[in-house]
Amino acid sequence: MLAIILTNLRRRLTRTLLTAAGIAVGVATIVALLSFTQGLSESAAGFVHLGGAELGVFQANVSEPATSLLPESTVGRLRALPQVADATPLLLIVEGVKRDPAAVVFGAEPDGFFSRQLVIVAGRRPNEVSEATHAAAHQALIGDRLAAQLKLGPGGVLAVKGRAYTVVGVYHSGILFEDAGAILGLRDAQALTQRAGEATDVIVSLSPGAHTDATAKAIERALPGTQTITNAQQAVRAGANGTLISKAILAIVAIAIIVGVIGVANTMAMAIAERRAELGLLSTVGWSPVRVAGLILGEGVAVSVLGAAGGLLLGVIGGDLLVRALGVSSYVSPSVTAWGLGRGLLVGVAIGVLGGIYPAWRVTRMTPLKALSGT
Amino acid sequence: MNTRSGAEVLAEGVSKRFGRIVALREASLRVGPGEAVVITGRSGSGKSTLLALLGGLDRPDSGRVLIDGQSTWSERHPARLRRELIGFVFQRHLLLQTLSAQANVEVPLLGAGRPRGERRERARELLGEVGLADRAEHVPAQLSGGERQRVAIARALANQPRLLLADEPTGALDSATSERILELLFGLRDRLGMTMILVSYDAAIGPRADRTVTIADGVLRDESLPAVGTAAGEAR
C-alpha cells in the first residue's frame, strides 16, 4: 500500500510538491507564531524578575505594563511592609534609541538592587555623587548585546530620545531585553521623559520566609490602584496588547489550518477526478471501499507529512525573521520547543487527514462501473 | 496452479436504465458451473451492462443476480464477493501505468490482504502462466497491446476466481494477437475449471464456447430459458 501511495505521489510530482509547499507555509506559520508566543512568555518572565525581583508592582488596569505610572512615594510605602526586603523604582523608556528602536532603556537608582546585581564587564558604574545630589549625570550603562550591536564601549556616546549620554560601563545580566538595552540614572530618565517623581513600576524582593502570593495580595490591599505581577502568565494577561497578540495568533493559526485543509481536499479531489478509472479498477478487483479510501487518505497524509517537515524547518527560520520584522528582537527571542514542533507536525498530519476525508468518502460512494467509465 | 470449481451464475429478470435509456430489460440467464458462455450483440445492445451487473459492478434497477446463491448487491460487501469469486478482463487492459507487470498482478492480492512474499510468488507464477515471466519488471508502456492484455488476464486470475468475466478482451487487438489471447483464455478455463462469461461483438468466437447467447436492444435471448421481455431502447 505504501509503495502505491509513494508511486502515485511521485507520478504527480509537481502537484505533490506544490501541495506540500502550501502545507509547509501553514505549518511554518504555526511553528513561527508558537515560537514567538513562547518567546514572548519567556520575555514576560524576565520582565517580572528584573534584577532578581520576586514580583513587580504596576498601576492597575493599564493596557500594557510598560505604560504604567506610579508615584515614587510608592517605594517608601512598599519598603515599610514587613514582607518586603527591598524595593526599587524603574522607569522604562521604549523606542528611545534611534539606532535600535527595539532597545529598552531603564531608568534606575544606581544604588538600587536592580543596578547592584548587574555584572560590569567593561568600564565602571555611574557616579553615585550625581545621583545623591539629584543632578543629572548624563551617564549611561549599556547592555553587552546592545553594545555589540551599536559597537559602543566605555567612553562612547549613546543617544536616547535625541539626548547624548556618556557610556561609562557595559553590563551583563542574563536577561535578554536587559542586555539588549541600556540603563540611565532614574533622575536622568525622569528628566528625559518629563516624569519627575514617577516610575513605571517598582520591583520588589521579599523578606526571608515571605510567601509571594500572600505578599502580592497584601501589597494590593495596602496600595489601592496597584496590581502585582508575580509570574510570566500574569504579565502576559496583564497586558491588553499581549492578550490581543495571543488571540490574533490563535486566529492566524486557525486560518492556516483551514487553508491547509482546503488545499489538501482540493488536491485530493482533483486527483480522484483524474483517477476515477484507476480507483474503479481497484474496487473491481476486490479492494474494499475502506481500503480504497485508505489509499486516498494515505496519499493526503503523506503529502502533509512532507509539507509539515519542510514547514518545521521554515518555521524555525520564520520565527527569527518575525521578531526582526516586528522590531522586537530586543524583547523577544523566539523559543522553539519540542512541543511547539510537535504541535506543528500534528497540525500538518491533521490537515492531511481532514483534507483527505471528503475525497475519500466520495470514493466510497461510487459504484465500480461508474468509476470505470470515468463519468 | 490450483484449480477451483466453477461458480453458478443466475440472473433473474434483471433490468437497468441510465436516465431515459433502457440498457437492459428483464434479462434472465443461467450459466452452470464450469460453463463457458459467449454473449454477443451489436455495440450498445446492453451486453457490457449485463456483464457489469453479473459481476456486481453496478446495482440492477430490478431483478437479481446470484453467484452460487449469493446475491451480488444484497451482500453487505460486494467487494468481498468480487475479490473471492470473480476475475475481470476488460477491452482496455486498465493496468496501473506506473506499476510493473508484477506489481499490477499483485494489486488484487494486496486488496485481499495477502502477505508480501505470497503476493510475489503468486504474481510470478501467473506471469509465467500467461508467458510473460521475462517481462515481470516492465511497466505497461514497455509492453505490446497483447502483452498488456496477458498481464490483465494474469491479474484477473490472481485470487483464483471461480468466475471469469471478460468484456471484449480482444476488442483492441489485431486478429493474430486476438487469436492468441482467446486461446489463452479458453485454455485457462479448460485447465482451471472456472466458469467463464465472455462478451464480444464478434460472433465468430461463439464456437469456442459451450454456449452462445445474443442480446439486442437490451433483450437477452438464452436458448436454455424461455425468452422474456419484448422491447428495449430509448423509453418513450
Side-chain angles (χ1 to χ4, degrees):
Chain A
M1 179 76 111
L2 183 63
I4 293 180
I5 287 172
L6 296 178
T7 301
N8 285 336
L9 295 180
R10 274 201 305 270
R11 187 168 56 173
R12 297 169 181 85
L13 193 59
T14 305
R15 176 181 292 175
T16 299
L17 292 178
L18 285 174
T19 308
I23 293 165
V25 169
V27 170
T29 304
I30 291 162
V31 171
L33 291 175
L34 287 177
S35 71
F36 178 76
T37 49
Q38 179 68 25
L40 202 64
S41 178
E42 289 175 9
S43 294
F47 189 71
V48 170
H49 300 298
L50 283 170
E54 272 88 8
L55 56 85
V57 181
F58 295 81
Q59 186 180 6
N61 302 320
V62 291
S63 62
E64 231 4 82
T67 62
S68 153
L69 276 178
L70 295 173
E72 218 176 319
S73 59
T74 309
V75 179
R77 296 172 68 188
L78 283 167
R79 283 175 179 158
L81 294 173
Q83 303 97 322
V84 174
D86 202 355
T88 188
L90 293 178
L91 184 64
L92 270 56
I93 302 171
V94 295
E95 298 183 349
V97 180
K98 198 173 179 182
R99 290 171 63 193
D100 182 4
V104 178
V105 178
F106 300 88
E109 293 174 332
D111 57 346
F113 72 86
F114 172 80
S115 301
R116 286 200 308 269
Q117 58 85 40
L118 298 173
V119 177
I120 303 299
V121 295
R124 59 172 176 81
R125 294 180 186 277
N127 293 330
E128 289 184 23
V129 177
S130 303
E131 186 64 29
T133 57
H134 287 201
H138 295 294
Q139 294 178 344
L141 283 174
I142 184 169
D144 53 2
R145 287 171 68 106
L146 184 62
Q149 190 182 336
L150 301 184
K151 296 183 173 55
L152 276 178
V157 174
L158 176 71
V160 181
K161 286 190 174 290
R163 199 169 293 180
Y165 296 86
T166 303
V167 176
V168 295
V170 179
Y171 66 85
H172 178 79
S173 72
I175 295 175
L176 173 68
F177 55 89
E178 229 177 292
D179 291 339
I183 297 171
L184 302 179
L186 183 63
R187 305 297 162 225
D188 276 340
Q190 288 171 336
L192 185 64
T193 56
Q194 298 176 322
R195 298 280 185 198
E198 290 180 330
T200 305
D201 66 316
V202 179
I203 57 173
V204 173
S205 63
L206 302 187
S207 302
H211 190 270
T212 306
D213 290 339
T215 304
K217 285 176 185 166
I219 289 172
E220 288 179 1
R221 274 198 305 271
L223 301 171
T226 63
Q227 63 175 336
T228 51
I229 297 177
T230 59
N231 58 51
Q233 285 70 32
Q234 280 184 354
V236 172
R237 278 199 301 272
N241 292 344
T243 305
L244 200 63
I245 288 170
S246 296
K247 287 185 176 174
I249 284 172
L250 264 181
I252 292 168
V253 167
I255 290 168
I257 293 172
I258 291 167
V259 170
V261 167
I262 291 171
V264 172
N266 181 51
T267 302
M268 301 315 298
M270 286 177 69
I272 286 167
E274 283 178 3
R275 295 161 51 198
R276 284 181 75 156
E278 176 186 321
L279 298 172
L281 174 85
L282 295 177
S283 183
T284 298
V285 300
W287 280 41
S288 66
V290 170
R291 192 177 281 266
V292 177
L295 176 72
I296 299 302
L297 210 54
E299 288 182 18
V301 170
V303 172
S304 299
V305 168
L306 182 68
L312 295 182
L313 186 66
L314 278 176
V316 171
I317 299 167
D320 198 44
L321 293 176
L322 186 65
V323 294
R324 288 176 194 276
L326 293 175
V328 293
S329 55
S330 295
Y331 314 125
V332 182
S333 177
S335 177
V336 180
T337 61
W339 176 225
L341 292 174
R343 274 188 287 184
L345 193 63
L346 279 176
V347 165
V349 173
I351 284 172
V353 172
L354 291 174
I357 282 177
Y358 173 67
W361 175 80
R362 274 185 58 192
V363 167
T364 66
R365 308 295 297 170
M366 282 191 285
T367 66
L369 183 64
K370 196 171 181 184
L372 282 172
S373 68
T375 55
Chain B
M1 222 165 37
N2 295 333
T3 59
R4 295 170 78 192
S5 60
E8 182 185 53
V9 180
L10 183 64
E12 291 180 334
V14 174
S15 296
K16 183 70 183 177
R17 58 191 300 159
F18 299 101
R20 296 185 52 191
I21 305 295
V22 178
L24 208 58
R25 185 184 290 271
E26 295 184 7
S28 293
L29 175 71
R30 181 187 173 282
V31 180
E35 196 176 7
V37 172
V38 171
I39 302 172
T40 64
R42 287 186 302 176
S43 178
S45 59
K47 54 189 186 299
S48 291
T49 300
L50 174 61
L51 199 78
L53 296 176
L54 293 178
L57 298 182
D58 204 356
R59 183 194 298 269
D61 295 335
S62 61
R64 62 177 185 163
V65 176
L66 302 174
I67 298 177
D68 277 348
Q70 298 180 67
S71 173
T72 54
W73 273 99
S74 64
E75 285 290 309
R76 285 188 65 184
H77 300 292
R80 185 184 58 79
L81 196 71
R82 291 194 294 273
R83 184 166 63 238
E84 292 178 356
L85 292 181
I86 309 169
F88 292 89
V89 179
F90 299 96
Q91 179 177 350
R92 292 179 298 143
H93 49 78
L94 293 178
L95 299 178
L96 303 184
Q97 295 299 310
T98 53
L99 300 184
S100 66
Q102 163 98 19
N104 266 287
V105 178
E106 286 185 34
V107 165
L109 298 161
L110 186 63
R114 301 290 171 80
R116 190 177 181 185
E118 185 185 331
R119 291 201 308 263
R120 294 203 158 188
E121 189 181 338
R122 174 78 178 146
R124 273 198 296 270
E125 181 188 5
L126 286 165
L127 285 171
E129 189 76 24
V130 298
L132 289 176
D134 58 337
R135 312 284 269 168
E137 296 308 317
H138 291 213
V139 294
Q142 296 169 316
L143 301 172
S144 69
E147 287 172 330
R148 289 175 200 165
Q149 199 61 300
R150 283 170 183 270
V151 175
I153 291 168
R155 180 183 63 194
L157 299 176
N159 282 325
Q160 296 180 282
R162 295 175 58 209
L163 168 64
L164 184 66
L165 300 176
D167 187 0
E168 303 278 12
T170 60
L173 304 174
D174 61 66
S175 58
T177 308
S178 297
E179 185 63 27
R180 285 196 291 273
I181 292 295
L182 288 172
E183 271 179 24
L184 175 64
L185 280 172
F186 281 95
L188 286 167
R189 195 286 304 231
D190 291 344
R191 282 196 294 116
L192 302 178
M194 61 201 168
T195 305
M196 184 164 80
I197 302 175
L198 192 150
V199 157
S200 177
Y201 65 90
D202 184 4
I205 296 175
R208 293 175 183 269
D210 299 324
R211 184 157 56 102
T212 299
V213 295
T214 58
I215 189 166
D217 295 333
V219 178
L220 186 71
R221 305 276 183 202
D222 181 359
E223 301 305 322
S224 65
L225 290 171
V228 290
T230 53
E234 192 168 342
R236 282 178 275 275

